[in-house]
């Protein structure tokens, strides 16, 4: 039996088969719900509100009141009646992703797309040149191989416009025609397909400017927070390529939705978008094309391809100009993707001061070290802690997330800042790093990351701060925000397990840096610059990163944030033929270090788990 499920927050209704979970229903309705554990019920991030009380009796869940919604886990609540549901929308998290654009101002637009307005001679008995050749001859273009889509529209556009048209060319070949003078409308799209979030920018191909931006949750997250869980979904649902098709459909849906949103925001014709560039990690890039990523999951971690790939928009069912070219920047290795190439291109890493390091921190930490004419890369399994996942009170960088913490052992005070200056709902990745650094610098944690509370050496801890420490399910925990302070009266804590999660993440990244420096035959003293890319790098405090040993101990003035450098690299590849060629060249120049087979990595990792001496 089917039931009507209304997602009031999105104004979408779907008829869903009984027995399915709300998470499955949301997936069928293409509504993203935070669900980092892939439906196991462990992360508790997929809470949604059921707005109509009548369903509670049917599911043996008592109503709190006639008007108060019931919060349930979408991955565990099975549908047995009609429902009205509210799904939290974290637009503020997406806004952060789309407003931290780092732009390389030195690159001048040199797009492969050209537009020319022309008034053609009309055909006659004495002038019987075919339509296509008439345009090619008038503009002195390469004859090329006209697409089916162009030939289908060509005769009507010419005659409806009385042969006054705008010819659209790619590398001096005719790809499209438009009635009248549309030379001022020349657009492209940039996609940064992250494991968690997909960002899209509408780019003016004439001047290279970002016209509009938008982002949304990667809807593949219902199958797990990281790439391994998604590859596993493909492997365990391999019959008739069910798992692969599900993941491909999810990403294709959001890709199109973001394009539609930008077209609406800018009020342009979708056919005025002629070029697209895409970056993402290797798994996301393969899933974007519907390519099986199975063999990325097991040693020797071989990708299907690494070179840049050109496709037509129509091949990907992308609802823009059907002749638009979609270029996926090259990958480097199984776990170093085109997003890293984007970072390298955006920062022009090869031209930075000798021995410069670029870091993109997410579920994986991708590292690139340049110097001595070389670029070395590697990828470390940083874990989800830096994105607030698998943390007891963790959440994405959205409204109500604690993102900065201040602990003063002298006065015994603990204060914090939240995104949006609202009551705290949880803690995001930058907040986790910050609080751990503050606890360590205050002496509440030792260099091994363990609470000193209850031990002989805890006498220096202010009594007011001791009152914030108690024993929980996962060892000692420190209360950041009390029940009175926090949203819905749920205290926000950081527990011993959370600290261990962060230590494992920062240990993996620092160990990767040490291995790259060893391969480059340099020490920390030789490092001249560290550039941190991505949302995490944009909002962390450098002091905190240095305090816990996430970064090598160099002076703060040598460390900078470069925002969404992966997107910027894709933008450069979109607006400049030279930069696109350079990106492909730099990818070939990179030497990848596979850490899983590196003999000394485990020792470096174990050494990097501890915090540096203060």
């Amino acid at each position: 039996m089917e039931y009507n499920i209304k997602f009031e927050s999105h104004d979408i209704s779907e008829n869903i088969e009984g027995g399915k979970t709300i998470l499955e229903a949301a997936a069928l309705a293409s509504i993203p719900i935070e669900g980092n554990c892939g439906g196991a019920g462990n992360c508790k991030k997929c809470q949604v509100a059921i707005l109509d009380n009548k369903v509670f009796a049917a599911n043996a869940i008592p109503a709190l009141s006639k008007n108060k919604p019931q919060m349930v886990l979408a991955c565990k609540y099975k549908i047995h009646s009609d429902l009205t549901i509210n799904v939290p929308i974290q637009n503020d998290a997406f806004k952060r992703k789309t407003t931290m654009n780092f732009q390389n101002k030195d690159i001048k637009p040199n797009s492969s797309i050209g537009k020319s307005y022309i008034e053609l001679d009309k055909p006659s008995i004495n002038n019987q040149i075919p339509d296509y050749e008439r345009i090619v001859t008038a503009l002195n273009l390469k004859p090329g191989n006209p697409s089916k889509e162009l030939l289908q529209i060509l005769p009507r556009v010419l005659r409806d416009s009385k042969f006054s048209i705008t010819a659209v060319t790619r590398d001096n070949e005719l790809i499209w025609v438009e009635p009248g003078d549309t030379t001022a409308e020349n657009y492209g799209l940039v996609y940064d397909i992250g494991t968690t979030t997909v960002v899209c920018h509408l780019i003016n191909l004439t001047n290279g400017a970002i016209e509009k931006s938008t982002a949304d949750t990667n809807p593949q997250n219902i199958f797990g927070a990281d790439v391994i869980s998604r590859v596993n979904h493909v492997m365990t649902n391999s019959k008739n390529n069910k798992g692969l098709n599900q993941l491909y459909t999810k990403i294709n849906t959001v890709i199109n939705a973001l394009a539609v949103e930008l077209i609406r925001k800018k009020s342009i014709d979708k056919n005025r978008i002629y070029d697209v560039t895409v970056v993402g990690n290797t798994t996301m890039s393969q899933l974007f094309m519907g390519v099986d990523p199975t063999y990325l999951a097991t040693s020797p971690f071989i990708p299907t391809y690494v070179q840049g790939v050109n496709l037509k928009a129509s091949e990907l069912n992308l609802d823009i100009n059907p002749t638009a070219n979609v270029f996926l920047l090259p990958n480097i290795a199984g776990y170093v993707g085109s997003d890293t190439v984007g970072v390298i291109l955006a920062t022009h890493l090869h031209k930075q001061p000798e021995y410069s390091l670029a870091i993109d921190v997410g579920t994986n930490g991708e590292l690139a070290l340049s110097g001595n004419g070389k670029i070395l890369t590697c990828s470390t399994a940083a874990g989800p802690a830096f994105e607030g996942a698998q943390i007891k009170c963790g959440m994405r960088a959205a409204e109500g997330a604690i993102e900065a913490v201040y602990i003063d052992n002298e006065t015994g005070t603990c204060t914090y800042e939240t995104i949006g200056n609202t009551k705290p709902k949880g803690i995001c990745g930058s907040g986790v790093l910050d609080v751990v650094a503050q606890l360590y610098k205050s002496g509440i944690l030792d260099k091994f990351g363990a609470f000193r509370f209850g031990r002989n050496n805890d006498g220096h801890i202010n009594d007011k701060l001791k009152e914030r420490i108690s024993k929980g399910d996962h060892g000692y925990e420190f209360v950041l925000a009390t029940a009175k302070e926090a949203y819905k009266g749920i205290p926000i804590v950081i527990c011993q397990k959370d600290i261990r999660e962060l230590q494992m993440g920062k240990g993996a990244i620092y160990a990767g840096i040490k291995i790259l420096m060893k391969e480059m035959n340099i020490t920390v003293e030789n490092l001249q610059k560290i550039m941190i890319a991505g949302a995490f790098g944009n909002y962390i405090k450098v002091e905190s990163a240095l305090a816990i040993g996430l970064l090598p101990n160099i002076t703060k003035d040598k460390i900078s944030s470069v925002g969404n450098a992966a997107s910027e690299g894709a933008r450069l590849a979109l607006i400049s033929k030279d930069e696109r060629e350079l990106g492909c060249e730099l990818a070939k120049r990179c030497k990848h270090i596979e850490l899983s087979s590196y003999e000394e990595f485990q020792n470096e990792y174990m050494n990097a788990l501890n915090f540096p001496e203060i």
Side-chain angles (χ1 to χ4, degrees):
M1 182 174 178
E2 289 190 340
Y3 298 99
N4 182 261
I5 309 303
K6 180 181 180 182
F7 293 95
E8 188 170 90
S9 49
H10 294 72
D11 195 26
I12 291 174
S13 293
E14 288 281 345
N15 290 324
I16 303 294
E17 184 183 348
K20 289 190 178 296
T21 64
I22 292 176
L23 189 64
E24 291 172 317
L28 291 169
S30 298
I31 294 172
I33 293 180
E34 199 75 15
N36 298 322
C37 63
N42 300 327
C43 71
K44 313 296 184 187
K45 301 294 189 298
C46 65
Q47 277 200 345
V48 298
I50 297 178
L51 303 182
D52 49 347
N53 270 350
K54 65 185 179 182
V55 302
F56 298 148
N59 288 274
I61 297 177
L64 298 180
S65 74
K66 284 188 175 180
N67 299 314
K68 191 168 183 179
Q70 174 70 46
M71 303 302 296
V72 300
L73 293 181
C75 70
K76 293 301 179 186
Y77 189 100
K78 292 188 176 180
I79 294 167
H80 294 98
S81 65
D82 295 343
L83 298 177
T84 302
I85 298 168
N86 186 52
V87 176
I89 301 174
Q90 298 183 332
N91 290 325
D92 45 332
F94 305 140
K95 184 178 180 182
R96 286 191 154 209
K97 290 276 190 178
T98 58
T99 55
M100 57 178 194
N101 301 317
F102 148 72
Q103 292 192 52
N104 192 324
K105 302 290 187 182
D106 297 331
I107 306 303
K108 304 301 179 189
N110 177 28
S111 169
S112 59
I113 301 297
K115 297 191 76 171
S116 304
Y117 174 69
I118 186 171
E119 296 178 357
L120 296 164
D121 292 333
K122 295 177 182 178
S124 66
I125 286 295
N126 299 317
N127 182 359
Q128 295 194 355
I129 301 173
D131 292 341
Y132 176 76
E133 282 75 10
R134 185 177 298 274
I135 301 170
V136 168
T137 302
L139 292 174
N140 195 28
L141 302 176
K142 288 191 290 186
N145 183 27
S147 68
K148 173 185 174 183
E149 293 89 351
L150 169 63
L151 296 178
Q152 285 176 332
I153 67 160
L154 184 56
R156 178 61 60 195
V157 169
L158 283 175
R159 284 152 185 85
D160 286 352
S161 63
K162 297 182 171 46
F163 288 83
S164 296
I165 60 157
T166 296
V168 185
T169 60
R170 178 180 296 112
D171 294 328
N172 210 37
E173 289 187 19
L174 184 67
I175 63 166
W176 198 247
V177 292
E178 295 160 357
D181 186 353
T182 64
T183 51
E185 302 173 69
N186 191 8
Y187 299 104
L189 292 174
V190 162
Y191 286 101
D192 179 5
I193 305 177
T195 313
T196 305
T197 306
V198 182
V199 178
C200 183
H201 303 292
L202 178 69
I203 309 295
N204 185 316
L205 294 179
T206 303
N207 60 25
I210 298 175
E211 296 279 352
K212 297 286 181 182
S213 300
T214 188
D216 206 345
T217 297
N218 186 330
Q220 296 172 337
N221 72 340
I222 66 166
F223 303 114
D226 53 55
V227 294
I228 294 299
S229 59
R230 296 182 198 175
V231 175
N232 285 339
H233 181 74
V234 173
M235 294 168 65
T236 56
N237 295 273
S238 59
K239 188 175 181 181
N240 298 322
N241 288 325
K242 179 183 176 182
L244 178 60
N245 290 336
Q246 286 175 321
L247 289 163
Y248 171 74
T249 300
K250 289 295 173 197
I251 197 62
N252 186 263
T253 298
V254 76
I255 288 289
N256 264 312
L258 294 177
V260 168
E261 183 179 347
L262 291 179
I263 289 165
R264 178 186 56 79
K265 282 183 176 180
K266 188 65 180 175
S267 298
I268 61 171
D269 185 330
K270 67 180 182 181
N271 288 309
R272 305 289 191 262
I273 298 174
Y274 314 105
D275 216 358
V276 180
T277 52
V278 180
V279 293
N281 63 52
T282 308
T283 303
M284 290 300 104
S285 296
Q286 292 197 187
L287 289 174
F288 172 73
M289 294 193 295
V291 174
D292 189 342
T294 295
Y295 304 104
L296 292 171
T298 55
S299 182
F301 316 111
I302 302 300
T304 303
Y305 68 95
V306 291
Q307 74 270 24
V309 175
N310 289 286
L311 299 165
K312 281 175 65 176
S314 56
E315 292 180 80
L316 294 163
N317 299 313
L318 188 52
D319 194 19
I320 55 174
N321 189 298
T323 68
N325 188 70
V326 181
F327 177 65
L328 282 78
L329 272 69
N331 297 310
I332 295 171
Y335 286 95
V336 181
S338 55
D339 48 358
T340 301
V341 174
V343 172
I344 293 170
L345 182 60
T347 59
H348 275 207
L349 187 64
H350 61 302
K351 290 185 177 179
Q352 294 291 345
E354 193 81 342
Y355 306 119
S356 292
L357 175 70
I359 306 174
D360 195 350
V361 180
T363 306
N364 279 340
E366 285 90 22
L367 314 174
L369 176 64
S370 70
N372 197 26
K374 298 184 289 187
I375 303 175
L376 304 182
T377 67
C378 71
S379 174
T380 64
F386 292 117
E387 295 185 339
Q390 291 186 15
I391 298 297
K392 183 172 182 178
C393 296
M395 64 180 289
R396 294 178 67 178
E399 184 180 289
I402 293 175
E403 63 172 342
V405 178
Y406 310 90
I407 296 174
D408 188 332
N409 194 42
E410 249 182 64
T411 61
T413 56
C414 173
T415 56
Y416 49 79
E417 295 175 8
T418 63
I419 298 172
N421 296 316
T422 62
K423 281 193 169 189
K425 298 177 181 176
I427 183 166
C428 63
S430 60
V432 173
L433 184 145
D434 214 26
V435 68
V436 172
Q438 289 286 305
L439 289 171
Y440 178 53
K441 290 195 286 186
S442 300
I444 296 171
L445 299 178
D446 63 21
K447 71 174 185 177
F448 304 108
F451 279 94
R452 284 197 168 105
F453 181 72
R455 288 150 53 181
N456 292 333
N457 60 353
D458 75 352
H460 69 285
I461 304 174
N462 190 295
D463 287 340
K464 290 182 180 177
L465 294 178
K466 282 185 179 181
E467 291 173 5
R468 290 178 173 267
I469 305 172
S470 61
K471 201 73 175 281
D473 295 337
H474 301 289
Y476 284 113
E477 55 189 34
F478 182 88
V479 177
L480 292 169
T482 64
K484 187 176 180 180
E485 298 168 337
Y487 179 75
K488 290 190 176 178
I490 302 172
I492 311 301
V493 304
I494 191 86
C495 68
Q496 186 68 72
K497 179 178 175 292
D498 299 336
I499 296 163
R500 296 297 183 220
E501 291 281 350
L502 183 71
Q503 285 180 277
M504 288 189 289
K506 75 97 178 176
I509 290 172
Y510 192 79
I513 295 171
K514 290 289 292 291
I515 297 299
L516 289 187
M517 290 195 296
K518 181 179 176 64
E519 285 290 309
M520 192 69 81
N521 197 27
I522 64 171
T523 63
V524 171
E525 288 71 27
N526 300 116
L527 265 184
Q528 296 302 308
K529 194 169 189 178
I530 297 177
M531 294 167 286
I532 311 174
F536 179 79
N538 205 59
Y539 293 101
I540 63 168
K541 291 182 194 169
V542 170
E543 302 93 330
S544 295
L546 291 169
I548 68 165
L550 172 64
L551 302 175
N553 189 22
I554 65 174
T555 56
K556 282 173 52 179
D557 61 296
K558 293 181 178 179
I559 303 172
S560 62
S561 168
V562 290
N564 198 342
S567 285
E568 173 59 10
R571 185 187 73 91
L572 296 184
L574 181 77
I575 67 171
S576 169
K577 293 182 286 186
D578 298 333
E579 289 297 300
R580 186 175 299 197
E581 188 176 317
L582 175 62
C584 295
E585 178 193 324
L586 290 173
K588 289 178 183 176
R589 281 176 54 183
C590 290
K591 178 185 177 182
H592 176 65
I593 310 298
E594 180 50 62
L595 297 182
S596 64
S597 61
Y598 201 92
E599 195 171 312
E600 295 178 38
F601 176 74
Q602 198 61 30
N603 287 336
E604 292 289 357
Y605 171 67
M606 295 304 294
N607 291 334
L609 290 175
N610 295 339
F611 300 138
E613 297 286 352
I614 296 178

